[in-house]
Amino acid sequence: MGDVTAGRAFVIAELAGRKEHLRRAWAQDETYYKSKYGGFRKSSGVLIQRLGLWMDDFFWGHGEKLWKLPISAAIILTAVSALAAALWLSSATNPLVYDLASTFKSYLIYYVSLFLDAPTTENPRRFVVIDWVVVIFRYVSLGVLVSGLFRWLSHR
């Protein structure tokens, strides 16, 4: 309830402030940041926070930009398919380029089907850890989508 546009502007301003704070903490140009974030442990903590904030923005736009969700899903599913095909390649003897492309396509179809929870006829060699990553990403994406749609539809 209230002014949704101002609420979103506030969230975007807060995120921009957080990014600037972490940038300054990482650069340590000012004496405050040198004393507060000096040393390897604190600098690495700042780096992890910066990477987390960047990933949150890149993959789903902090929940404010739902159009980034299908793009990130395509990138992640392509990446896990490439990883699975590379793992298959490491165990194959005399693989051909055609075999690798065919295996990548098979894994891509399998992981897209797993992400959408749709039945598939593809049955490549499975990697349980990668399957779990895809399933967890499915539920995180669903939560971000529902949250974003709720925010979008709930204002008057």
Side-chain angles (χ1 to χ4, degrees):
M1 291 194 221
D3 189 2
V4 175
T5 306
R8 287 190 178 161
F10 174 76
V11 168
I12 290 170
E14 281 290 317
L15 290 168
R18 180 80 177 147
K19 285 179 189 177
E20 179 61 20
H21 168 73
L22 290 173
R23 186 196 64 76
R24 287 181 178 180
W26 177 252
Q28 295 184 4
D29 292 336
E30 302 167 31
T31 57
Y32 169 77
Y33 291 106
K34 283 182 184 176
S35 64
K36 179 94 172 158
Y37 297 104
F40 177 75
R41 177 181 257 169
K42 291 181 181 178
S43 294
S44 59
V46 168
L47 178 64
I48 290 170
Q49 289 179 22
R50 283 187 79 190
L51 286 174
L53 195 61
W54 178 84
M55 287 174 50
D56 186 41
D57 180 38
F58 179 78
F59 287 119
W60 35 74
H62 308 294
E64 296 291 322
K65 301 171 187 164
L66 293 180
W67 59 269
K68 286 188 172 186
L69 200 56
I71 295 169
S72 66
I75 290 170
I76 288 176
L77 292 174
T78 302
V80 297
S81 298
L83 176 65
L87 290 172
W88 170 85
L89 182 66
S90 68
S91 65
T93 56
N94 277 339
L96 300 172
V97 173
Y98 173 77
D99 294 336
L100 180 61
S102 169
T103 303
F104 173 75
K105 179 184 166 198
S106 176
Y107 276 117
L108 188 60
I109 292 169
Y110 170 72
Y111 286 123
V112 168
S113 298
L114 183 64
F115 179 76
L116 297 174
D117 199 21
T120 182
T121 57
E122 296 294 327
N123 197 10
R125 189 175 114 205
R126 297 211 169 105
F127 301 100
V128 177
V129 174
I130 298 175
D131 289 359
W132 275 104
V133 166
V134 171
V135 170
I136 289 170
F137 181 66
R138 174 197 329 157
Y139 289 118
V140 168
S141 298
L142 182 63
V144 170
L145 178 66
V146 168
S147 172
L149 288 175
F150 182 76
R151 271 196 314 271
W152 181 61
L153 294 173
S154 66
H155 64 80
R156 297 178 199 191

